[in-house]
Amino acid sequence: MGRIDLGRRKTDRMMKCFGGLSRVMPLVIAGLYASLAVAQEDGSQRISLSGALAEGQDGSATISEIEAAGLHEFTLFNPYDQREDLYAGVFISDLVEKFGAEGARSVTLIALDDYTIDFSREEWDDFGIVLSTRMNGDYFGFDMKGPMRVVFPDYDGAKLEYQETLPKWIWMITRIEFKK
């Protein structure tokens, strides 16, 4: 019996400790989400940059700094959302030119959940791949698969080469690695 009572006292103390935490955690989470939402709405969300970086690059850039590489708009069909929208973003070739070291031959994009996709120079030259930062004029929030996602402006689902690129429509990109 003594063991049961001791266990109950420990459990009671733990419940008191975690009970307070359970009341505070939703507020902490809500605050973090609100700060992420604000950062994304104004282009200040930071993206991690690594690998073969251009001289002077410090390892991260804001969405606005990435857009400064050359923002373009496209009305395109998204096969995952099954609709056409106005997307804005930067060609991967322009991104590499601004942030990657001379001679960079590939880019690895890493999503929030660590899903990873590699693009070679040949792919971004052949397909004109875009890192999209906005849809219908608004920055992507995490609730819209942001802060960045890959789109193919000339997507044509009837062509085999575009069907093969479907797994490369990565979203929620938070890290970019440049490779030689």
Side-chain angles (χ1 to χ4, degrees), residues 121-172:
R121 178 173 296 278
E122 293 76 24
E123 286 176 300
W124 73 65
D125 285 343
D126 290 348
F127 290 104
I129 304 164
V130 171
L131 277 176
S132 182
T133 56
R134 304 179 196 203
M135 184 173 71
N136 299 323
D138 296 323
Y139 286 103
F140 290 114
F142 281 103
D143 60 333
M144 302 244 341
K145 300 179 184 173
M148 293 192 313
R149 61 165 79 170
V150 164
V151 295
F152 290 74
D154 295 329
Y155 176 78
D156 182 349
K159 294 182 179 177
L160 179 61
E161 62 266 22
Y162 283 99
Q163 292 172 15
E164 292 171 348
T165 66
L166 283 176
K168 292 195 169 201
W169 286 67
I170 184 173
W171 46 79
M172 297 182 96

Side-chain angles (χ1 to χ4, degrees), residues 25-92:
M25 282 309 287
L27 297 173
V28 171
I29 292 169
L32 288 172
Y33 183 78
S35 68
L36 284 173
V38 168
Q40 292 157 355
E41 289 175 7
D42 67 3
S44 64
Q45 172 74 32
R46 294 201 79 77
I47 302 298
S48 174
L49 305 175
S50 63
L53 295 174
E55 191 173 317
Q57 294 302 324
D58 68 358
S60 72
T62 65
I63 298 294
S64 296
E65 291 168 340
I66 289 170
E67 289 179 334
L71 190 64
H72 301 276
E73 289 188 335
F74 308 90
T75 299
L76 63 95
F77 178 76
N78 180 326
Y80 286 99
D81 295 337
Q82 291 294 303
R83 67 173 194 242
E84 231 179 50
D85 285 298
L86 177 66
Y87 288 85
V90 176
F91 284 106
I92 289 182

Side-chain angles (χ1 to χ4, degrees), residues 12-31:
D12 289 345
R13 278 185 276 162
M14 286 175 47
M15 290 307 290
K16 285 180 184 176
C17 176
F18 290 121
L21 188 59
S22 69
R23 288 189 296 272
V24 174
M25 282 309 287
L27 297 173
V28 171
I29 292 169

